[in-house]
Amino acid sequence: MATLDVRNPAPEVDDMRKQTITFDSPLDALVAVAKRLSLYEVEAGMDSADFFARYARGESGDDARSVEWANDYRHFLALHDYLEERLHEAA
């Protein structure tokens, strides 16, 4: 099982309450995070890697939405790395 702490990424929803979602597998969690990242990317007109690079350099805001996007991207990278390691072990 994999868990993910999330807030609603929809810009029209001003609800910053965190909720924890449990997934059956890390792959399911990765797909869910990728969908969330896609919402941020469409809204901002940039991909998550570019956003995160700017965020890490302090070139983007520290508003709640930016922090959530950065955290979601960190989750994505961690899940991706975890799954990649498991695939290499299985090969």
Side-chain angles (χ1 to χ4, degrees):
M1 282 204 195
T3 60
L4 181 64
D5 293 331
V6 298
R7 290 184 174 87
N8 193 331
E12 66 276 3
V13 177
D14 188 23
D15 183 1
M16 292 307 295
R17 289 175 292 173
K18 183 170 70 170
Q19 66 184 106
T20 300
I21 302 172
T22 302
F23 297 93
D24 292 331
S25 73
L27 183 58
D28 291 340
L30 182 73
V31 169
V33 173
K35 288 178 181 179
R36 289 174 55 84
L37 292 175
S38 179
L39 294 174
Y40 294 122
E41 292 170 347
V42 168
E43 180 186 314
M46 78 172 76
D47 68 27
S48 292
D50 290 340
F51 160 77
F52 192 75
R54 292 182 63 204
Y55 180 83
R57 291 190 306 263
E59 296 174 0
S60 70
D62 60 354
D63 58 285
R65 189 143 176 85
S66 293
V67 171
E68 285 300 314
W69 188 357
N71 287 338
D72 281 349
Y73 189 65
R74 285 185 188 106
H75 280 119
F76 174 83
L77 292 175
L79 287 163
H80 181 272
D81 290 348
Y82 173 81
L83 289 168
E84 188 171 45
E85 288 174 20
R86 299 295 80 74
L87 285 172
H88 285 227
E89 289 174 2

mmCIF file of all heavy atoms in Angstrom, residues 26 30 49 51:
data_model
loop_
_atom_site.group_PDB
_atom_site.id
_atom_site.type_symbol
_atom_site.label_atom_id
_atom_site.label_comp_id
_atom_site.label_asym_id
_atom_site.label_seq_id
_atom_site.Cartn_x
_atom_site.Cartn_y
_atom_site.Cartn_z
ATOM 1 N N PRO A 26 2.123 1.469 -5.057
ATOM 2 C CA PRO A 26 2.858 2.691 -5.399
ATOM 3 C C PRO A 26 2.564 3.160 -6.827
ATOM 4 O O PRO A 26 2.563 4.360 -7.093
ATOM 5 C CB PRO A 26 4.324 2.301 -5.239
ATOM 6 C CG PRO A 26 4.308 1.164 -4.286
ATOM 7 C CD PRO A 26 3.028 0.422 -4.584
ATOM 8 N N LEU A 30 1.421 6.816 -7.987
ATOM 9 C CA LEU A 30 2.145 7.565 -9.014
ATOM 10 C C LEU A 30 1.182 8.119 -10.063
ATOM 11 O O LEU A 30 1.282 9.280 -10.457
ATOM 12 C CB LEU A 30 3.203 6.689 -9.677
ATOM 13 C CG LEU A 30 4.047 7.379 -10.742
ATOM 14 C CD1 LEU A 30 5.030 8.343 -10.107
ATOM 15 C CD2 LEU A 30 4.792 6.359 -11.578
ATOM 16 N N ALA A 49 8.693 19.881 -14.006
ATOM 17 C CA ALA A 49 10.152 19.940 -13.843
ATOM 18 C C ALA A 49 10.643 21.383 -13.931
ATOM 19 O O ALA A 49 11.491 21.810 -13.129
ATOM 20 C CB ALA A 49 10.838 19.061 -14.882
ATOM 21 N N PHE A 51 8.794 24.113 -13.408
ATOM 22 C CA PHE A 51 8.293 24.804 -12.224
ATOM 23 C C PHE A 51 9.176 24.511 -11.018
ATOM 24 O O PHE A 51 9.564 25.414 -10.282
ATOM 25 C CB PHE A 51 6.849 24.392 -11.901
ATOM 26 C CG PHE A 51 6.484 24.698 -10.482
ATOM 27 C CD1 PHE A 51 6.182 25.991 -10.097
ATOM 28 C CD2 PHE A 51 6.501 23.705 -9.512
ATOM 29 C CE1 PHE A 51 5.894 26.295 -8.765
ATOM 30 C CE2 PHE A 51 6.213 23.988 -8.190
ATOM 31 C CZ PHE A 51 5.908 25.289 -7.812
#
